[in-house]
Amino acid sequence: MHIVLFGDQHLDSLGGAQVSMRLQRRFLERAGHTVTVVAPRMHVSRSGSLSSSKGDPAYLDTPSMPITLDREYSMTWPGNRVDRYLDRAFVSRPPVDLVHVQADFWGAFIGHRFAHRHGIPVVHTMHNRVDVGLAAVTPLHRPVLAVLNAWRRAAMRGIGAQVPGADGWAYLRGIAQESGAVTAPSGHFARRLEQHGVFDAVDVVWNGIDDDLLDRVLATRGTREPGRPRFVWLGRMSPEKRLLPFLEAVVASGVDADIEIIGGGGQLRAAERIARGHDGIRFAGRLPYAETLTRIAAADAVVQTSIGFETQGMTPFEAAALGTPTIVCDPDIGAELRGGQWLVPASDAAKPERVAALAETLRVAASEIAGGTAPVPDAAVAEAFRQSSRTAAMIAVYERVLAG
């Protein structure tokens, strides 16, 4: 098959969807398929240089404008100009069998326009709970969603039925129009998509972990000995990830443990203020992905603190694949993980009660780690998280859609 992936951001930029798409491309090619990746041209990479994909025939970079101060992220305006650009570019490429949209904004519009124009079947992977994501970053999320829905109706005019509404679910319903299949990276997100009428039956295909990298990290992992526990928290330092409540819980718990924080973001200074004067809390900054996995493998537990935000929550699954249990705050992620965890009691209470519940869970986890009785991750979950397994599952979806 010749599969065309459409993304909102170039795959050389930072982000979970980009990591997933890079892996999918590599494993699809390993399985004998041809892949073209359509995404906005990147202006500056994380190293400060131009995109490293220059000259890679699999990448088809669309004309773009930078949208962040560091120029790492870009956007391509959907419309006739980019339509003509893509149509010319694909004249010299093999015929396209299937379009796989892995975008939530302009990349989704452009991908669906391309598929509709050429009568090509579409699989759409939903990566983003648009309503929750916008609410986390702006108090003006409702008017922003109304504008997004208006933009969606204009950009996708003539593609499926016109979907009314101004909320996040109306937006996702609208961009799923004419899809032969919709996939989601978790069962809990798939259920929500179905419940809100985005698509009748959503396929669950987890984002995976690179088989080769996983095997290398596992081969070098040492034996964990009971003793002073080592907890790792990793992610973007922004409110929806709940780093600050985690550090408040660490302080309140009084646990004798090493706490490593991996990542960066706008809440770093606030996090450092909470941690000041408390031995054992260390900020490692942003680390390469392979090094991050090595730190997870060496830890006694990973801590996942976001609630209701993640469409999958990669970190607990990466930990499970590496044999490391997780302290989980989100009950949806806990249910999908199926074991190898300490689940923080669910609570609709105010912040102090949630912090207290997390502090108590940290004390329990530290005690069980020190005593050698920590829970063990589910082996079936660990095996199913390998990218080779995830690619095989996605190819089955492609074949079903192509068969009609």
Side-chain angles (χ1 to χ4, degrees):
M1 289 182 280
H2 180 192
I3 301 136
V4 182
L5 306 180
F6 282 83
D8 283 322
Q9 293 301 329
H10 198 282
L11 301 200
D12 280 352
S13 64
L14 184 66
Q18 293 91 301
V19 170
S20 170
M21 289 174 70
R22 285 199 301 269
L23 272 178
Q24 289 174 34
R25 175 216 164 170
R26 185 150 63 83
F27 277 78
L28 282 168
E29 290 176 339
R30 186 178 291 186
H33 303 288
T34 299
V35 178
T36 298
V37 180
V38 178
R41 181 174 67 86
M42 194 174 176
H43 294 261
V44 178
S45 71
R46 293 189 298 280
S47 64
S49 63
L50 291 175
S51 168
S52 63
S53 69
K54 189 175 182 180
D56 185 334
Y59 284 86
L60 181 50
D61 298 351
T62 52
S64 69
M65 64 188 84
I67 56 172
T68 55
L69 292 176
D70 61 7
R71 298 172 66 83
E72 180 172 352
Y73 299 108
S74 311
M75 76 165 288
T76 295
W77 189 264
N80 293 332
R81 183 184 174 204
V82 72
D83 290 348
R84 291 192 297 269
Y85 175 85
L86 289 176
D87 290 349
R88 288 193 302 268
F90 275 98
V91 167
S92 59
R93 292 174 181 254
V96 176
D97 296 291
L98 185 133
V99 163
H100 188 169
V101 174
Q102 300 213 45
D104 302 294
F105 302 104
W106 45 88
F109 303 158
I110 294 166
H112 279 284
R113 287 168 68 106
F114 177 82
H116 180 78
R117 213 160 51 247
H118 296 282
I120 301 168
V122 181
V123 172
H124 192 133
T125 294
M126 298 282 179
H127 283 285
N128 193 336
R129 268 201 69 176
V130 175
D131 55 344
V132 176
L134 287 173
V137 297
T138 175
L140 302 174
H141 59 280
R142 288 188 178 87
V144 170
L145 277 169
V147 170
L148 273 177
N149 273 287
W151 186 22
R152 179 259 304 168
R153 284 189 288 270
M156 297 183 66
R157 186 176 291 114
I159 301 176
Q162 278 296 310
V163 176
D167 64 6
W169 299 112
Y171 181 81
L172 295 179
R173 283 194 293 273
I175 63 173
Q177 291 288 290
E178 293 195 357
S179 298
V182 169
T183 78
S186 68
H188 59 86
F189 188 37
R191 288 194 302 273
R192 287 194 174 96
L193 292 169
E194 292 167 353
Q195 289 163 1
H196 288 87
V198 173
F199 204 74
D200 288 341
V202 178
D203 290 279
V204 179
V205 183
W206 292 346
N207 295 324
I209 189 170
D210 185 336
D211 297 41
D212 304 334
L213 179 56
L214 174 61
D215 289 337
R216 286 199 299 273
V217 174
L218 288 172
T220 58
R221 183 186 63 187
T223 303
R224 296 191 189 96
E225 298 293 338
R228 182 180 170 92
R230 291 167 292 175
F231 295 114
V232 170
W233 185 99
L234 59 150
R236 183 174 62 252
M237 295 180 182
S238 52
E240 72 278 5
K241 297 293 187 177
R242 300 183 67 243
L243 170 61
L244 304 188
F246 166 60
L247 292 173
E248 291 169 0
V250 170
V251 173
S253 71
V255 291
D256 181 21
D258 292 319
I259 312 291
E260 184 172 47
I261 311 297
I262 300 173
Q267 291 192 319
L268 175 59
R269 289 186 179 178
E272 289 173 334
R273 283 196 296 271
I274 295 172
R276 193 171 295 137
H278 296 278
D279 292 338
I281 300 177
R282 187 173 76 87
F283 293 87
R286 289 177 173 157
L287 298 176
Y289 184 57
E291 177 60 23
T292 299
L293 293 181
T294 299
R295 301 289 180 94
I296 292 173
D300 293 298
V302 160
V303 184
Q304 186 275 331
T305 46
S306 62
I307 301 173
F309 172 76
E310 310 291 350
T311 55
Q312 178 179 8
M314 289 280 285
T315 303
F317 293 90
E318 290 166 334
L322 293 162
T324 302
T326 302
I327 294 173
V328 180
C329 290
D330 190 321
D332 285 334
I333 295 175
E336 199 135 356
L337 207 54
R338 302 201 301 264
Q341 63 184 291
W342 295 272
L343 184 60
V344 179
S347 172
D348 294 326
K351 178 183 170 182
E353 285 78 9
R354 282 187 165 178
V355 170
L358 179 53
E360 176 58 24
T361 304
L362 285 167
R363 285 190 287 266
V364 171
S367 175
E368 292 184 2
I369 290 166
T373 59
V376 178
D378 187 304
V381 168
E383 189 61 29
F385 193 58
R386 287 178 175 267
Q387 184 60 44
S388 55
S389 165
R390 302 303 82 220
T391 297
M394 191 63 78
I395 289 172
V397 174
Y398 293 166
E399 290 174 343
R400 190 186 76 224
V401 169
L402 289 171

